[in-house]
Amino acid sequence: MTDQGHPFGSDHPIGVAVLGMGNVGTEVVRIIQEQSQDLRQRVGAPLVLRGVAVRRLDVDRGIDPELLTTDARALVNREDVDLVVEVMGGIDPARELIGTALTAGKSVVTANKALLADYTGELAAAAEHSRADLYFEAAVAGAIPVVRPLIQSLSGDRVNRVVGIVNGTTNFILSAMDETGADYSATLAEATRLGYAEADPTADVEGFDAAAKAAILASLAFHTRVTAADVYREGISRITSEDLETAAAVGCTVKLLAICERVPASPGEPGSAQGGKDRISVRVYPALIPRKHPLSSVSGAFNAVVVEAENAGRLMFYGQGAGGAPTASAVMGDLVMAARNKFFGGRAPGESVYAELPIAPIGDTPTRYHVNLKVADRTGVLQAVAGEFAQHGVSISTVRQEGQDEGARLVVVTHHATESALADTVAALAELESVTSVTSVVRLEGTEE
Ligand code: HSE
């Protein structure tokens, strides 16, 4: 498409199809139309909107109705469409439409985390085959540039850890619970009323959305294909106001974290002296973090991602992780890149999965725990409780007693322990005559220990 006759630009348009006109699609269409002059300068050629695929035509969307179609496949296949923006979400028909576009050599920009978390391999292969581009900055943490830094800026470094708050809905809920003391159900209802949580909040509150993003981040960070099924996942629906209260008492708050971590091969492992493989741990769960940790101050619907790389050290990316205009900003950045590539003849980096690091099971991943127990307030109880921790090889860091008599509560914070050792300890604690109940077990992250 490079126009040799126009060294400073071309009048030959680059045709764009947008699939989906929800919050993000509406903003993408608006920006393409309102900023056409700037976009033309930045790309080198005009970006022309050829059409927008929607589900229904009987809605006034504030654009020329001639641009709207319900036939997404025909739109993708139009000869004057060079680039496809997929912001419809879901697996079907997005998977097929993106595949069709890529196979035809049309570059694709997508914000579809659920699709990428399972099918990046298939889509990247189609892109590779036809020398098209697949861009997806908007799939993780909305407006925040974190995909491109991992793929490009840090491609000469070795990433060891990526930890993020990548779901705004759950962060809004946990921040509100922390600030107001309200319980989970009341706060979820308020988040729904304010439009932060969807009518069916499952994907957000049970951690599926964050797990898809964690799979994408881990794939990029560790040059290994990681899918949603590889991610250990727990949501926030069991977090109580009491968890927030006891967290506050030890100088912590609770956040839903997406953690992607390199687990170095231990020196004793067979073959490690000859370069035995590191493994990777990818997990999403609510965890206590100290209030002095940089992620603790990320409140409301904001997102943040901390990347730790061997040479760069710690980097932090922060901003709006959802919403029409912020997500459209990331889509537009990709669209300009894809259009420039069409015009100047460059290509986006393809999928990099050469490292093929194995996934470490959650049972092998030691973390610290915050265990809340209701106990009888009498002599010997503390000894019995501590005995069970010792018996199962779980080392205690601190113990606090709150309340007295019937209302006595013990809060035990452990040193690092494996999931299985902790689970055995909890089962044994629940059998103790002096323990009324194990009211909660929440992990503790972000401490130096
Ligand atoms: N529902 C997501 C969130 C935004 O709450 O952050 C889209 O991934």
Side-chain angles (χ1 to χ4, degrees):
M1 171 125 345
T2 309
D3 192 330
Q4 302 296 342
H6 297 267
F8 303 110
S10 167
D11 288 333
H12 191 88
I14 297 178
V16 180
V18 175
L19 310 182
M21 207 172 174
N23 290 342
V24 180
T26 301
E27 292 300 318
V28 168
V29 167
R30 177 186 63 76
I31 298 167
I32 290 175
Q33 294 190 324
E34 283 181 12
Q35 297 184 11
S36 62
Q37 288 311 318
D38 282 333
L39 292 168
R40 180 195 184 122
Q41 295 298 323
R42 292 172 198 176
V43 168
L47 277 184
V48 176
L49 185 63
R50 301 296 190 199
V52 185
V54 292
R55 235 178 280 158
R56 290 170 48 194
L57 294 174
D58 58 348
V59 179
D60 180 9
R61 298 173 194 270
I63 63 167
D64 178 359
E66 292 288 306
L67 286 169
L68 301 174
T69 175
T70 53
D71 192 345
R73 192 170 295 111
L75 176 60
V76 166
N77 284 324
R78 266 173 64 161
E79 288 216 342
D80 60 356
V81 165
D82 304 294
L83 306 175
V84 173
V85 174
E86 186 275 306
V87 282
M88 64 204 312
I91 306 297
D92 294 314
R95 177 182 173 194
E96 186 217 319
L97 293 168
I98 292 176
T100 301
L102 292 171
T103 303
K106 302 180 183 196
S107 293
V108 171
V109 175
T110 176
N112 195 329
K113 69 228 78 174
L115 181 66
L116 290 162
D118 281 333
Y119 297 105
T120 295
E122 168 188 309
L123 302 178
E128 197 55 44
H129 194 253
S130 66
R131 317 285 301 159
D133 294 340
L134 175 64
Y135 279 110
F136 49 91
E137 181 64 69
V140 182
I144 305 172
V146 63
V147 167
R148 191 163 287 119
L150 283 170
I151 294 178
Q152 293 184 290
S153 318
L154 292 166
S155 61
D157 208 331
R158 180 184 173 89
V159 175
N160 288 323
R161 205 159 190 262
V162 180
V163 183
I165 293 171
V166 293
N167 183 268
T169 306
T170 47
N171 203 51
F172 176 87
I173 293 171
L174 292 172
S175 303
M177 286 174 74
D178 190 38
E179 281 158 26
T180 65
D183 70 16
Y184 171 75
S185 321
T187 313
L188 171 60
E190 180 66 357
T192 310
R193 195 184 66 76
L194 293 172
Y196 286 105
E198 294 186 27
D200 177 359
T202 312
D204 291 319
V205 300
E206 296 305 344
F208 291 101
D209 175 78
K213 293 165 181 169
I216 296 169
L217 290 172
S219 302
L220 303 178
F222 304 124
H223 300 270
T224 291
R225 189 172 298 147
V226 178
T227 65
D230 296 320
V231 182
Y232 176 82
R233 176 194 53 78
E234 286 174 25
I236 65 162
S237 56
R238 280 184 301 184
I239 295 296
T240 63
S241 50
E242 195 178 315
D243 289 328
L244 269 304
E245 200 184 299
T246 54
V250 290
C252 289
T253 188
V254 178
K255 296 290 186 190
L256 183 70
L257 298 181
I259 302 173
C260 315
E261 211 165 44
R262 182 187 295 275
V263 183
S266 61
E269 265 176 42
S272 58
Q274 292 80 42
K277 266 194 175 176
D278 292 349
R279 294 182 299 165
I280 53 179
S281 165
V282 192
R283 50 200 206 266
V284 168
Y285 46 59
L288 275 75
I289 54 171
R291 287 199 189 268
K292 60 180 191 302
H293 190 282
L295 290 176
S296 155
S297 56
V298 177
S299 61
F302 278 80
N303 284 191
V305 181
V306 174
V307 178
E308 290 172 21
E310 210 155 277
N311 300 304
R314 188 189 260 188
L315 305 164
M316 183 161 171
F317 303 84
Y318 168 84
Q320 297 189 72
T327 308
S329 164
V331 168
M332 290 306 300
D334 282 351
L335 187 59
V336 168
M337 289 301 296
R340 279 184 189 153
N341 290 345
K342 285 272 174 208
F343 185 65
F344 291 106
R347 275 205 69 206
E351 190 188 30
S352 171
V353 289
Y354 72 91
E356 294 181 345
L357 300 181
I359 307 287
I362 187 73
D364 288 6
T365 311
T367 43
R368 300 184 70 193
Y369 293 88
H370 188 264
V371 183
N372 240 308
L373 309 164
K374 278 206 175 93
V375 294
D377 186 13
R378 60 169 185 261
T379 314
V381 170
L382 190 55
Q383 189 180 13
V385 166
E388 290 301 345
F389 279 88
Q391 186 78 26
H392 293 90
V394 179
S395 171
I396 291 175
S397 167
T398 60
V399 183
R400 258 176 332 107
Q401 178 174 339
E402 290 170 0
Q404 287 179 345
D405 305 324
E406 294 308 296
R409 202 161 67 181
L410 282 183
V411 181
V412 180
V413 179
T414 75
H415 290 294
H416 280 88
T418 61
E419 169 101 357
S420 48
L422 203 278
D424 291 347
T425 309
V426 168
L429 289 169
E431 294 297 311
L432 285 181
E433 189 262 325
S434 50
V435 172
T436 317
S437 63
V438 181
T439 49
S440 77
V441 178
V442 185
R443 292 175 177 81
L444 172 62
E445 293 282 348
T447 58
E448 288 309 314
E449 220 180 317

